Amino acid sequence: GSIGTPKRYLGANVDRVQTDDGRVIWSMLSEDYVRAAIDNVEKILKADGHQPLKVYGDGKRPYSSSYRPEIDVSDELDDAGIHRYQELIGILRWAIELGRIDIITEVSCLSQHMCQPRVGHLDAVHQIFRYLQKNLSKNPGRLAFDPAIPVIDENLFNCI
């Protein structure tokens, strides 16, 4: 008997999509993973007695363009806060692997503060989850795996 066509892989939905030229290729969609992650963050915030994600901004950007994690001087997180920060950064990193490349710069900047994150860093992480929450239907995060060999203009390499 046949096992069948895969539907999920490492948290992502797997399916086939048709390209503009009619070929059918494999793709991964991060929507279900990100939706579950957002739900989990909401539950964590509620269990910890914090406000829901909606208080972390309008979701138009992953975090404010004026925020600079490298110069944040807010209070340092305690051990439980550090653990929570590291956990949430890991979730965001996996969302990027599954296709949410729109948050890669912000998550990369915040990942530099894994050893001693501050309250402002954790707030920025919550703002990224708010951004994902507000933009999930607009950008579900799809990666398509096109095996076609790209056409490369050899003349671009004739520098010698």
Side-chain angles (χ1 to χ4, degrees):
S2 175
I3 295 175
T5 305
K7 301 287 183 223
R8 292 186 63 77
Y9 181 70
L10 298 174
N13 296 29
V14 178
D15 62 355
R16 297 175 70 121
V17 295
Q18 188 170 11
T19 62
D20 292 340
D21 62 4
R23 293 176 299 116
V24 177
I25 60 174
W26 287 102
S27 75
M28 272 187 349
L29 187 67
S30 65
E31 186 174 11
D32 286 353
Y33 175 83
V34 172
R35 188 180 316 282
I38 291 166
D39 290 344
N40 286 336
V41 170
E42 289 281 28
K43 289 175 188 171
I44 289 167
L45 288 170
K46 185 175 182 179
D48 289 348
H50 297 291
Q51 296 291 317
L53 284 174
K54 68 181 179 181
V55 303
Y56 289 96
D58 58 14
K60 291 182 181 175
R61 299 182 49 86
Y63 58 65
S64 170
S65 61
S66 63
Y67 179 62
R68 300 286 181 256
E70 67 277 11
I71 59 173
D72 189 318
V73 293
S74 60
D75 291 340
E76 294 176 353
L77 294 172
D78 61 13
D79 288 346
I82 292 170
H83 182 265
R84 177 62 37 83
Y85 180 81
Q86 292 170 342
E87 175 184 36
L88 295 177
I89 288 289
I91 291 168
L92 291 171
R93 283 179 166 176
W94 192 246
I96 293 166
E97 292 294 325
L98 297 180
R100 289 308 303 246
I101 59 173
D102 54 326
I103 60 172
I104 194 167
T105 301
E106 292 81 3
V107 174
S108 178
C109 288
L110 290 171
S111 293
Q112 297 174 41
H113 305 282
M114 294 287 276
C115 291
Q116 194 57 63
R118 296 177 176 272
V119 171
H121 298 138
L122 185 57
D123 286 345
V125 165
H126 291 133
Q127 289 172 33
I128 294 172
F129 277 102
R130 175 63 174 160
Y131 167 81
L132 292 172
Q133 184 182 52
K134 289 294 287 184
N135 295 284
L136 190 57
S137 61
K138 289 185 231 172
N139 178 5
R142 181 181 300 275
L143 291 177
F145 304 100
D146 189 346
I149 298 173
V151 177
I152 299 173
D153 183 354
E154 298 284 334
N155 293 324
L156 294 175
F157 301 104
N158 290 335
C159 300
I160 302 174

